[in-house]
């Protein structure tokens, strides 16, 4: 029964993604962040892990999820890019509905509480004194 409800919800979300909205809702910003950061990652938990980082930063900083996403220099998908165009790009991704569903369910813990991550092909300055909590696909997670 729950699985059928999830499938119906997924179809509704996919259909609603076809409708282009001028306004960016907080939910669209968070969903777009998940897609733009990990939509191409197919490892188990990859998109959920990005959501976990958003949620952990939100709790740590006492900011709304969408506010954390749009903070300067936090998620590369927003750095120097126009919000509406990035959301439109993310909405055209085939996994938009899947990412949106992730935002509706209780937080998972693939990252063991991580509030930072980066792609495995970079070595940012900030990771030197942080603890690796998980490696999922091409991303390394820290706290």
């Amino acid at each position: 029964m729950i699985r059928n409800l999830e499938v119906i919800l997924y179809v509704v979300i996919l259909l609603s993604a076809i409708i282009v909205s001028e306004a960016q809702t907080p939910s669209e910003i968070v969903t777009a962040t998940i897609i733009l950061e990990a939509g191409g990652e197919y490892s188990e938990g990859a998109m959920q892990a990005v959501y976990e980082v958003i949620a952990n930063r939100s709790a740590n900083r006492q900011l709304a999820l969408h506010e954390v996403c749009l903070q300067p220099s936090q998620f590369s998908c927003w750095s120097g890019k126009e919000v509406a165009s990035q959301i439109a790009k993310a909405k055209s991704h085939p996994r938009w509905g899947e990412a949106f569903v992730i935002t509706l369910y209780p937080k998972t813990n693939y990252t063991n509480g991580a509030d930072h991550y980066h792609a495995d092909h970079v070595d940012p300055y900030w990771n030197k004194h942080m603890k690796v909590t998980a490696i999922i696909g091409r991303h390394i997670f820290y706290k």
Side-chain angles (χ1 to χ4, degrees), residues 117-128:
Y117 70 94
H118 63 79
D120 62 5
H121 63 273
V122 298
D123 187 21
Y125 72 90
W126 51 258
N127 71 351
K128 307 305 182 241

Side-chain angles (χ1 to χ4, degrees), residues 48-62:
Q48 292 90 336
V50 170
Y51 182 69
E52 289 175 26
V53 168
I54 295 167
N56 290 337
R57 288 182 184 179
S58 172
N60 293 344
R61 299 172 186 179
Q62 298 182 339

